[in-house]
Amino acid sequence: MKLLDERIWSLFKRHWRQTLTYWSVFFSFGLCIAFLGPTVLDLRCQTQTTLQQITWVFFSQQFFLLVGSSLGGLFKKTLQSSLSALFSCTLIISLVFAIIPLCNHVLLLSVAMAIAGLAMGVIDTIANLQLVKLFQKDSALFLQALHFFIGLGALVSPLVAYPFLANDCCVLGANWTANSSSPSDLQHLRESLAGHGAAIRNISQYPLHTEGEVITRVSYAFWIMALINLPVPAAVLSLIYHERLLPCSSTSPRLLDRDSLSSTSPTGDSGQGHGSLFGCCNPAKLRDRPATFFLLHTLGGAILFLTDGIIGSYAGFVYTYAVSPPLLMGHKTAGCLDSVFWASITVGRLAFIYLSYRFKAPRLLTFSLVGVILVQCLVLIFYTSCVFLFIGTCLLGLCISSVFPSMLAFTEDILDYKGCATTVLVTSASTGEMILQLLVGSVIQSQGSYSFLVCCTIASSIGFCLFLLLLWVQHSHRNCSTDLSQSTDMKKKPQTGGS
């Protein structure tokens, strides 16, 4: 155990500058992903639009996050292009935070959120790719830490925003004193919209004016978040300068160039197979690949499609479920559920940093996926208990927190860091988070809030079955790779003897 600790610590000391930079970039990602839900009502006032119109900015952000995840691999060809993309994207996020208060039309706001979503998607893919390439078989521990910083950013963002949110109607109409929504109504709407605007139900009962004098201080929250985020692009720029990748730098060999030569995979491949989602479909790269190669990508992507979809759906609809029959929880109490869920995910990822080098990824994934199913089944059984909903929300966050980084590290290790596992898995996770929320939302509209728990339980059960299939395919892929290497050696022997 001591030798393993020393080796991990030695790896971190060798790459500490790059590692801390990638972690800070994911803090920027988390900061950007969590601010929209709490501030959407104030943004509605700022743009003087209806609630139905303002929620299009959620879709704009999520859709372009998916596009950015798909295209992010295009920037990994060289270290310079990767770091330049990260610098540009983190700087764009700060600029978007600064510009949002100036967007007085919902279309301008949607464009701003689309640009932010695109930057977030590129960050998601590149940071994961670079950490996997840097640490390879030891990447699981560092990926857990990377995704911990998403949760940290997602916790900071609402804390900054809440002091500046309007407690009453922020658009003063001619008859606002008679018909305006009460502070408790506005809090209820905020919590309903906390999960990317997915739970918009029965909003006509809350009178929200679109004409009149706008009174909101939310601009200060966005400017503060822009300043909080500014050290991140500065850190990326510092790494670019340190690696002598700026035009004004000297042309002497760079540290990461030497490191990349020593951190190639055992097969001699340096990860050049990674790229954008569309580059992964290049027939020339896919020729002569065994069927298990494609199955591993497909199954890994499908598992993360479901688990990240569960995270998005639970965060989006747990408040709606809590305030609906049979629980009928108070708005303020139910509003704590989303914070408890994200806090438990963050704490879980922090705990799994330690667990990920004590246990192999398959064991952690088995524990996590079984835990997710058991917790959701218990929540279904005790569906009338408000206390158990809080306990179940906390346990679900802890169990599901490590699935993405563990699955990414596990799949890349099976494929010997060749292929397009990172790009496919990141894109699949983003797709699941967007699509599963829409599907669960439509089911809730027709079948009631209890169906939300049923949908999440079914999705987690399917995910575990796919994981068992992945383990079987992994065994077949190992055997196939061994047979292929032996046949290649047999072909080389006669050639060597003849020469």
Side-chain angles (χ1 to χ4, degrees), residues 40-55 104-106 169-176 179-181 186 189 203-204 206-216:
V40 69
L41 292 181
D42 293 77
L43 292 174
R44 183 204 68 82
C45 296
Q46 177 182 298
T47 55
Q48 294 186 284
T49 53
T50 64
L51 199 55
Q52 290 91 338
Q53 289 173 324
I54 196 65
T55 49
N104 294 320
H105 193 278
V106 69
C169 183
C170 51
V171 176
L172 302 184
N175 60 343
W176 72 278
N179 297 322
S180 62
S181 299
L186 294 178
L189 282 172
I203 58 175
S204 59
Y206 304 104
L208 297 173
H209 297 290
T210 58
E211 299 294 335
E213 182 185 357
V214 177
I215 300 177
T216 177

Side-chain angles (χ1 to χ4, degrees), residues 25 86 105 116 134 149 164 201 240 262 266 358 374 423 446 461 481 488 499:
V25 163
L86 288 179
H105 193 278
L134 203 59
F149 279 91
F164 301 98
R201 303 180 66 203
I240 294 174
S262 62
R358 286 293 306 273
L374 291 177
T423 305
S446 60
S461 301
S481 300
T488 303
S499 59

Side-chain angles (χ1 to χ4, degrees), residues 12 15-28 83 86-87 90 123 127 131 134 146 149 231-240 242-243:
F12 177 74
H15 302 298
W16 70 269
R17 193 183 298 269
Q18 306 93 290
T19 305
L20 291 180
T21 301
Y22 298 140
W23 288 352
S24 69
V25 163
F26 253 45
F27 173 82
S28 179
L83 293 180
L86 288 179
F87 171 74
T90 51
I123 287 172
L131 264 191
L134 203 59
L146 180 73
F149 279 91
V232 179
V236 180
L237 185 62
S238 174
L239 180 60
I240 294 174
H242 180 263
E243 299 304 328

Side-chain angles (χ1 to χ4, degrees), residues 303-378:
I303 292 167
L304 292 186
F305 177 94
L306 292 168
T307 53
D308 268 52
I310 291 170
I311 292 175
S313 299
Y314 199 89
F317 296 111
V318 67
Y319 175 85
T320 303
Y321 170 74
V323 298
S324 303
L327 292 177
L328 295 174
M329 198 180 290
H331 297 330
K332 290 185 178 180
T333 306
C336 297
L337 283 166
D338 193 59
S339 299
V340 168
F341 182 60
W342 283 111
S344 62
I345 287 178
T346 305
V347 171
R349 285 172 175 164
L350 184 62
F352 275 97
I353 294 173
Y354 173 73
L355 295 175
S356 60
Y357 76 87
R358 286 293 306 273
F359 304 101
K360 297 293 185 181
R363 184 174 295 183
L364 292 178
L365 284 166
T366 303
F367 169 80
S368 297
L369 293 172
V370 170
V372 169
I373 296 173
L374 291 177
V375 169
Q376 290 185 325
C377 287
L378 289 173

Side-chain angles (χ1 to χ4, degrees), residues 21-22 25-30 32-33 60-93 113-131 146-147 150 232 236 275-278 404 408 422-424 426-427 430:
T21 301
Y22 298 140
V25 163
F26 253 45
F27 173 82
S28 179
F29 181 95
C32 197
I33 204 170
S60 176
Q61 184 192 48
Q62 286 294 110
F63 177 76
F64 280 92
L65 194 156
L66 173 60
V67 174
S69 299
S70 303
L71 299 177
L74 291 173
F75 301 99
K76 57 75 54 188
K77 293 182 180 178
T78 64
L79 179 64
Q80 184 173 16
S81 63
S82 295
L83 293 180
S84 298
L86 288 179
F87 171 74
S88 302
C89 290
T90 51
L91 185 61
I92 284 171
I93 287 176
M113 293 313 304
I115 294 171
L118 196 65
M120 291 161 63
V122 172
I123 287 172
D124 197 8
T125 300
I126 290 180
N128 280 292
L129 274 171
Q130 289 299 324
L131 264 191
L146 180 73
H147 287 265
I150 291 183
V232 179
V236 180
S276 72
L277 186 65
F278 307 105
F404 184 97
L408 180 57
T422 299
T423 305
V424 170
V426 169
T427 305
S430 301

Side-chain angles (χ1 to χ4, degrees), residues 170-229:
C170 51
V171 176
L172 302 184
N175 60 343
W176 72 278
T177 54
N179 297 322
S180 62
S181 299
S182 67
S184 61
D185 288 339
L186 294 178
Q187 181 65 20
H188 173 63
L189 282 172
R190 269 198 192 94
E191 300 298 346
S192 297
L193 293 164
H196 306 297
I200 306 168
R201 303 180 66 203
N202 302 323
I203 58 175
S204 59
Q205 60 181 301
Y206 304 104
L208 297 173
H209 297 290
T210 58
E211 299 294 335
E213 182 185 357
V214 177
I215 300 177
T216 177
R217 299 185 303 143
V218 77
S219 301
Y220 298 110
F222 289 114
W223 290 331
I224 290 171
M225 284 189 280
L227 291 174
I228 291 174
N229 188 67

Side-chain angles (χ1 to χ4, degrees), residues 265-324:
S265 67
T267 58
D269 184 82
S270 60
Q272 295 301 316
H274 293 96
S276 72
L277 186 65
F278 307 105
C280 291
C281 300
N282 187 343
K285 294 181 179 180
L286 302 179
R287 192 177 295 115
D288 299 327
R289 297 287 192 183
T292 52
F293 176 86
F294 302 100
L295 281 173
L296 288 170
H297 283 85
T298 303
L299 291 172
I303 292 167
L304 292 186
F305 177 94
L306 292 168
T307 53
D308 268 52
I310 291 170
I311 292 175
S313 299
Y314 199 89
F317 296 111
V318 67
Y319 175 85
T320 303
Y321 170 74
V323 298
S324 303

